[in-house]
Amino acid sequence: MIEDNGGGASGFADLMLAPELCRALSDLGYEEPTPIQLAAIPPLLAGRDLVGQAATGTGKTAAFALPVLQRLLAGDERAEPLALILVPTRELAVQVAAAMRSYGRDMGARVLAVYGGEPIGRQLGPLKRGVDVVVATPGRALDHINRGTLKLGGLEILVLDEADEMLDMGFAEEIEAILASTPAERQTALFSATMPPRINGMVRRHLREPVRAELGRQAPASAGGLLVRQTAYLVPRGYKAAALGRVLDLERPTATIVFCRTRDEVDQLTESLNGRGHRAEALHGGMDQKQRDRVMARLRSGTIDLLVATDVAARGLDIDQLTHVINYDVPSAPESYVHRIGRVGRAGREGTAITLTEPREQRMLKTIERVTKRPIKLEKLPTLAQLRSERLERMRTELRETLLKDDGELNAFRSVVGPLGAEFDPYDVALAAVQLAHEASEPPREDEEIPAVEQPSADDRRPARKTRPRDQGRPTGPAPRRGRRATTGTTRLFVSTGRSDGVRPQDLVGAIAGESDLSGRDIGAIEIADRFSLVEVPESAADDVVRALRGTSIKGRKTTVRRERYPAR
Ligand code: AMP
């Protein structure tokens, strides 16, 4: 039986979301609400306060953004913002604002991201002209409130996103001050990955009889009996497709389903996989049974190896022959994970489940592990050198087998080897033949370097800081000299962004000086390679800098910073 809603976003219509929003979601390729959206949207639409325990990757942004936009749709144009969304970092401010604009694209929602680091003057114009939703970091929001440039008299909804993170970053006072300048009758929603006592205190003080939306508490259908090898790879943002390619090169699966979140992602990934020489086909929710059967027959016969699908599209498929399930993103809830991996390891056969996880999604992965009570092994992506040596090893075995079983078939090639053997050393002829075979068996791909992701500690929140972090402007120091080796008393840090991301020395100096206690003058030589950079800092400050830069972005790219693993001698 196939339960198919035709790939539309009808699940959202069931939540009583307006057609304008449903249309935008459907165009974005969202097929059904995630659990946190199912739990949070109805009470928020009904005007209730809400506490949502949800980490990144669960779809929490849409869970609050959609009700805010729906409220906007219901009212007239206003002079003051309807909603204020507080987020811990400028990256998140930009991301949330972008998500809101895309959900609200058909309704002309005026959404402004307001954060430190950007000249305050640039934010004044739009604020003066009038905006509907302000997405802000607490420091800069308070700054605007104090200047009288952000007026909250007409505010109806306040959202605290990643509240635990905001408190960890030392924003408690700012948040209290901001709350005090909003109307008492406002609606408040608080989202947090964890619920430490300080968050509960905040909830008690500022929310009125909130509905609680907690995920991952109830045990999902058991994953216990399955014969599934579970692995996850930590992959930096922006390298997912390359990482998947590498995992596929390593595993060489024959019948695999790759799960994506949205239809758009399915289409893009299918194209990129085919471009890399894999044989992949997209499975769409809108396909009828005949079309599905055809795709499945191609998978069964080995015409294709990979099926790329959303949860909805893959519903009801008869896929007993699958060997691998790959989660291109961490699923939005443990239930979805269990459902997906239940597709392999059936009937006593062994299966493999592989999950690609961005550092920010690791918390969700831990929740899945806890709820399913099954360990998910975090492995390192194979390096290009490892893949190459495996391929060569495979070729050696195959050549050996061919030589051992020689039943005269090799004679057909004597006319090639004979004359060449007279002209060249036969050993060299063999080497050249191996090279040709090697290239023919696997056309050279654009081999991409994938930076390692630093393994965060068990609790990957930022440590509380003594002083309030600067979400103000970043100083830019003079660009230090390049190319020197680390000198005594200094150490070099690896930063996973480089020339191909447009990074310049002053960007690195700005990021380090803006986020840590170092000033531009403390920073030594900077080497910028294509895909990474090395920055010399005082040894005594190295760990603090690494901590301070955890999770930040440089030039819009999420960046890993760690000590250099293999310092130059
Ligand atoms: P978030 O947890 O809000 O950071 O969202 C994680 C990712 O899930 C984002 O890339 C969203 O675009 C995506 N997303 C959110 N809701 C849905 C949904 N209902 N279906 C598919 N993707 C979604």
Side-chain angles (χ1 to χ4, degrees), residues 12 30-34 37 55-61 103 261-262:
F12 287 101
Y30 291 14
E31 296 186 318
E32 57 182 4
T34 66
Q37 289 161 4
T56 297
T58 54
K60 70 181 163 63
T61 312
Y103 302 147
R261 281 193 182 123
T262 65

Side-chain angles (χ1 to χ4, degrees), residues 46 85 95 97 100 130 184 197 206 264 315 325 345 353 361 407 421 474 527 552 556:
I85 299 168
Q95 255 176 48
M100 286 207 121
H206 297 293
D264 289 4
R315 252 177 224 161
V325 165
E361 294 170 330
D407 43 14
R474 292 168 161 185
E527 273 182 55
T552 51

Side-chain angles (χ1 to χ4, degrees), residues 48-49 51-52 71 77 125 148 205 234 240 253 295 321 431 438-439 447 481 510 556:
R48 297 284 307 269
D49 280 5
V51 179
R71 178 86 64 95
E77 183 157 328
R205 282 195 307 282
L234 199 56
K240 282 265 196 76
V295 173
Q321 64 274 30
L431 289 178
H438 180 70
E439 284 172 6
D447 283 341
R481 281 173 295 143

Side-chain angles (χ1 to χ4, degrees), residues 221-397:
S222 164
L226 300 168
L227 285 168
V228 182
R229 173 169 67 95
Q230 300 185 94
T231 312
Y233 294 96
L234 199 56
V235 179
R237 205 183 188 140
Y239 290 91
K240 282 265 196 76
L244 177 63
R246 207 170 283 186
V247 168
L248 292 171
D249 286 345
L250 182 76
E251 296 271 338
R252 310 188 138 244
T254 47
T256 296
I257 186 159
V258 183
F259 281 103
C260 296
R261 281 193 182 123
T262 65
R263 268 178 284 132
D264 289 4
E265 214 170 47
V266 166
D267 288 338
Q268 281 164 21
L269 191 60
T270 309
E271 203 181 310
S272 111
L273 285 167
N274 284 319
R276 285 179 62 96
H278 294 286
R279 297 175 304 169
E281 201 153 327
L283 194 71
H284 281 288
M287 286 180 173
D288 62 25
Q289 188 58 43
K290 230 184 182 158
Q291 292 168 311
R292 283 160 185 262
D293 288 347
R294 219 173 292 139
V295 173
M296 291 316 296
R298 281 204 284 277
L299 190 73
R300 230 170 271 136
S301 67
T303 314
I304 56 169
D305 307 315
L306 303 167
L307 215 53
V308 188
T310 57
D311 286 303
V312 170
R315 252 177 224 161
L317 278 180
D318 161 28
I319 34 183
D320 269 355
Q321 64 274 30
L322 282 187
T323 59
H324 289 63
V325 165
I326 298 182
N327 297 310
Y328 192 59
D329 317 272
V330 177
S332 59
E335 293 77 6
S336 157
Y337 180 87
V338 171
H339 197 227
R340 287 178 181 186
I341 70 163
R343 299 244 163 68
V344 288
R346 290 173 167 192
R349 270 181 284 137
E350 257 190 51
T352 302
I354 295 172
T355 304
L356 302 186
T357 170
E358 287 179 28
R360 286 173 63 93
E361 294 170 330
Q362 253 193 306
R363 196 184 287 279
M364 188 67 213
L365 197 68
K366 287 260 168 267
T367 305
I368 290 172
E369 219 176 6
R370 199 182 59 238
V371 174
T372 58
K373 298 196 177 66
R374 308 234 324 155
I376 301 173
K377 202 165 161 221
L378 202 58
E379 288 190 6
K380 280 207 166 63
L381 275 177
T383 62
L384 290 173
Q386 280 167 339
L387 281 181
R388 187 180 149 80
S389 76
E390 265 187 42
R391 271 172 59 194
L392 291 177
E393 178 57 29
R394 217 166 16 233
M395 172 161 298
R396 200 180 59 79
T397 312

